[in-house]
Amino acid sequence: MPRYSDSHAAQGRGLISLEGNCKGGRDSDAYLQFTGRKVLVLLFMGLVIIVVSIFSIASGVYSISPADVIEVLFGGGSTMERTVVWSVRAPRIAAALIVGSALGVSGTVMQCVLKNPLASPYTLGISSAAAFGAAFSLAASYFGLFSSGLVGEVLGGIYGMAISAFVWSMVAVMVTVSLSKLVSTTPESMILTGVALGAIFSSALSSLQYFVDDTTLASMVYWQFGDLSKVNTIKLGIMAAATLITSIYFVHKRWDYNAMEVGDDVSRSLGIDTKRTLIFTMVLSSGVTAICISMVGIIGFVGLMAPHFMRRVIGGDHRFLIPGSMLMGASILLIADSIGRLAFVISFPVGIITSFLGGPLFILILSRERRKTEG
Amino acid sequence: MLSVSNLNFQYGKTKVLHEVSFDIEDNAIVSILGPNGVGKTTLLRCLCNFHRPSEGCMTIDGNNMTDLPIREMAKYIGYVPQRSRASRTTVFDSILIGRRLFIKWSVTKKDIDLVWEIMDALNMRSLALRFADEISGGEFQKAQIARAIVQEPRVLIMDEPTSNLDIANQHRTMHMICDLVRSKSISTVMTMHDINLAANFSDKLLFMKDGRIVSYGDKWMINEDLVKEVYGIDVDVIEHKGTPFVIPRKEQADACLSKDNGSGRPEA
């Protein structure tokens, strides 16, 4: 048995113990400072969201001072102020925060498990599938399908739209995941698949719109505008519960996501069931997206922008990226909704604002990335 | 400790591994050698349970490896692929991922101390807070090896661990790896292309050709006939500082050059 440089080995081990004690403390401190800075960024974002939320609640046709908003939130204020805050503005702000968080975290985990920086519920066609699902539920009610019995009870109303949106979004997920596993797809081809799926579901949606009456058609078209004014307490509760449950799963899997970024073989060698994690992640992220979309309509680009921005700010460590993307998604939607509500004569649907802001901004980021790569 | 008996594997109808059998002892360093496409990487992937063999048996500490759940396998086998993606995390965090099996909710002091220890042993402490996607290919390869070692496996499996390294770094890194795995009592199986490097740093060498084992033994089994049989080239094997050293014959090199036809393309 060869004895390779035993002295070298002994020297090496000596070095570890000596330097480990001397320099280790300093470097460990540097690492803790480094991670601490990321926590500070997250806390700062949380603080910004609270401040912007208060100012957003305060602003509108009936203006309330931020101090009065805080008073109302803690149970004080006049009847009028309480009505405006609790019945009109707070639910809308809450919806922005919940839906933004849900879309932000969904985009993050989708990009990770599909190893595709362009993946998001919107670009993968999942939002279009959910939109079709919701319209399908409205059309089914119009044509009198599932009109009786327990099925009719369940599939009618907002629950029916949510269930139908979820089921159809799962169809889109299955197509995307199967293609990514069966065929060797590049990030671009996966997005093109999403574009194709979006086109198929859009034409199917147009077909449904062609056959329904004016009232149902108006409901379908109005529903497609992502608009946070549609929410009520029940819808908020459902969306909050779905976001909370899925986020807990995603946070629980943060180390698995860090490993999966490196590659499937490495993740499997670390004891991670990559197939199971991929399927659970896609089902849950698409599910929470579908639930939110069925409640507030289509809101594009948030799932794409939030993780992209946060990766640039705090890196790709999912311990920080997941909460960071939730906070960023919430911030984007909160600011976009506030702009839509306050900057125009009439209240503008937030889905239109995010697409107007997100599309060009994303093209700008992509071109910068390309220049960086070429440079 | 790790035993492979009559292993067969096929991709569809193409048989890649034929009746492969060998044993690896505790703390041994084994290099798998052979030309491109003989099934070296496939054999490694079978050992990691990434591929299910069509026939044969693999055991580790008496446990049938194909029956082991994925988490149990991770306690035995650490894997370093030839290539992997560099994520936008610090080098420290990309190594810390190796502790995935042991991390419950948060990272413990033991996890962090072990990462520092291995980074010190591989002389990469200064890279700790650099992003993994910004370091060189060689440094990233070392980070991958460090990640697999902090996993504390019984067997470390590496696919061409020195493929991204220059000659100085090849020797330096192999020294560091060998010292580290011996100090941690980890057995090592790796594929290599450089016979001399493998002979320098391995306890045993396993030569493969066409999916079969041609020879398995210590470095002194290397001779002209074995290299001719496996690689089809004529070489001289000399002893240099207590290790066999393989040198391709000049006429062999000339023959290769004449085939080049001066245009960079082989003659038709």
Side-chain angles (χ1 to χ4, degrees), chain A residues 144-222:
Chain A
L145 301 173
F146 319 124
S147 58
S148 60
L150 185 63
V151 176
E153 287 285 316
V154 173
L155 291 181
I158 60 162
Y159 303 110
M161 284 174 72
I163 291 167
S164 182
F166 177 77
V167 169
W168 283 102
S169 68
M170 286 303 116
V171 173
V173 169
M174 274 191 285
V175 172
T176 309
V177 173
S178 306
L179 275 176
S180 72
K181 289 287 138 190
L182 294 175
V183 188
S184 174
T185 49
T186 61
E188 290 79 10
S189 64
M190 198 182 282
I191 298 308
L192 289 176
T193 309
V195 171
L197 276 176
I200 292 167
F201 281 113
S202 293
S203 58
L205 180 59
S206 300
S207 307
L208 288 180
Q209 289 174 342
Y210 188 75
F211 288 109
V212 294
D213 66 355
D214 288 350
T215 315
T216 314
L217 175 63
S219 302
M220 283 181 182
V221 172
Y222 171 69

Side-chain angles (χ1 to χ4, degrees), chain B residues 41 44 79-82 141 157-161 163 189-191:
Chain B
T41 298
L44 288 194
Y79 176 63
V80 180
Q82 197 179 343
Q141 185 75 349
I157 291 181
M158 298 190 282
D159 196 358
E160 296 185 31
S163 59
V189 186
M190 55 191 164
T191 57

Side-chain angles (χ1 to χ4, degrees), chain A residues 4 8 31 254 256 316, chain B residues 45 88 93 100 105 179 200:
Chain A
Y4 299 109
H8 182 97
Y31 177 71
R254 63 202 183 284
D256 292 3
Chain B
R45 294 180 67 80
R88 187 75 183 158
D93 288 323
R100 171 67 194 93
W105 181 255
D179 291 344
N200 248 310

Side-chain angles (χ1 to χ4, degrees), chain B residues 38-75:
Chain B
V38 295
K40 301 189 296 290
T41 298
T42 304
L43 176 57
L44 288 194
R45 294 180 67 80
C46 284
L47 293 178
C48 293
N49 254 359
F50 297 159
H51 291 328
R52 209 173 181 81
S54 41
E55 280 174 70
C57 181
M58 299 179 295
T59 60
I60 188 160
D61 284 347
N63 300 305
N64 192 343
M65 288 167 72
T66 48
D67 293 340
L68 284 175
I70 196 162
R71 282 182 70 85
E72 282 299 306
M73 265 301 283
K75 291 176 186 168

Side-chain angles (χ1 to χ4, degrees), chain A residues 14-32, chain B residues 92 112-113 116-117 119-129:
Chain A
L15 203 71
I16 296 162
S17 56
L18 268 176
E19 296 209 347
N21 289 338
C22 299
K23 281 171 64 182
R26 269 209 314 273
D27 286 342
S28 293
D29 287 348
Y31 177 71
L32 289 175
Chain B
F92 186 92
I112 291 182
D113 288 348
W116 284 125
E117 182 193 333
M119 288 186 87
D120 276 335
L122 291 173
N123 196 22
M124 52 192 310
R125 182 179 274 262
S126 60
L127 298 174
L129 296 184

Side-chain angles (χ1 to χ4, degrees), chain B:
Chain B
M1 166 229 171
L2 192 150
S3 176
V4 177
S5 332
N6 305 318
L7 190 77
N8 289 281
F9 178 80
Q10 53 193 60
Y11 286 112
K13 288 180 180 172
T14 312
K15 210 161 183 185
V16 182
L17 298 176
H18 303 262
E19 300 293 322
V20 172
S21 300
F22 62 95
D23 292 312
I24 293 171
E25 294 144 22
D26 264 335
N27 308 336
I29 298 175
V30 177
S31 289
I32 302 175
L33 295 141
N36 292 323
V38 295
K40 301 189 296 290
T41 298
T42 304
L43 176 57
L44 288 194
R45 294 180 67 80
C46 284
L47 293 178
C48 293
N49 254 359
F50 297 159
H51 291 328
R52 209 173 181 81
S54 41
E55 280 174 70
C57 181
M58 299 179 295
T59 60
I60 188 160
D61 284 347
N63 300 305
N64 192 343
M65 288 167 72
T66 48
D67 293 340
L68 284 175
I70 196 162
R71 282 182 70 85
E72 282 299 306
M73 265 301 283
K75 291 176 186 168
Y76 287 107
I77 306 280
Y79 176 63
V80 180
Q82 197 179 343
R83 287 186 201 89
S84 54
R85 280 158 46 103
S87 60
R88 187 75 183 158
T89 53
T90 62
V91 171
F92 186 92
D93 288 323
S94 71
I95 296 171
L96 188 62
I97 293 168
R99 300 295 296 165
R100 171 67 194 93
L101 205 59
F102 308 95
I103 296 170
K104 301 297 177 204
W105 181 255
S106 59
V107 182
T108 62
K109 188 174 180 298
K110 188 195 169 193
D111 299 321
I112 291 182
D113 288 348
L114 187 60
V115 173
W116 284 125
E117 182 193 333
I118 303 302
M119 288 186 87
D120 276 335
L122 291 173
N123 196 22
M124 52 192 310
R125 182 179 274 262
S126 60
L127 298 174
L129 296 184
R130 296 264 307 274
F131 280 112
D133 59 355
E134 288 177 352
I135 59 177
S136 72
E139 290 168 338
F140 181 65
Q141 185 75 349
K142 281 196 333 189
Q144 290 293 296
I145 294 164
R147 191 255 310 137
I149 292 174
V150 300
Q151 190 178 342
E152 296 185 315
R154 293 291 312 279
V155 182
L156 178 64
I157 291 181
M158 298 190 282
D159 196 358
E160 296 185 31
T162 55
S163 59
N164 290 320
L165 306 177
D166 59 57
I167 187 164
N169 265 313
Q170 280 182 3
H171 280 262
R172 219 172 282 148
T173 305
M174 285 307 296
H175 260 297
M176 289 173 183
I177 293 172
C178 291
D179 291 344
L180 201 52
V181 293
R182 286 188 201 288
S183 69
K184 295 278 175 192
S185 302
I186 298 171
S187 305
T188 304
V189 186
M190 55 191 164
T191 57
M192 300 278 272
H193 274 302
D194 188 332
I195 303 176
N196 296 322
L197 196 66
N200 248 310
F201 291 99
S202 311
D203 300 323
K204 282 192 168 179
L205 304 170
L206 189 151
F207 282 91
M208 287 183 75
K209 190 186 178 187
D210 299 331
R212 297 173 202 277
I213 293 179
V214 177
S215 186
Y216 181 44
D218 68 17
K219 60 189 174 185
W220 295 113
M221 73 176 175
I222 299 173
N223 57 42
E224 289 84 353
D225 294 337
L226 176 64
V227 178
K228 173 83 177 170
E229 185 186 350
V230 173
Y231 293 94
I233 59 163
D234 294 315
V235 295
D236 289 315
V237 178
I238 59 167
E239 190 184 331
H240 178 67
K241 292 187 178 176
T243 301
F245 197 81
V246 178
I247 307 166
R249 282 185 192 155
K250 189 172 182 303
E251 56 267 32
Q252 185 72 42
D254 290 344
C256 289
L257 280 175
S258 71
K259 273 186 189 173
D260 198 350
N261 198 22
S263 63
R265 291 179 190 156
E267 281 178 350

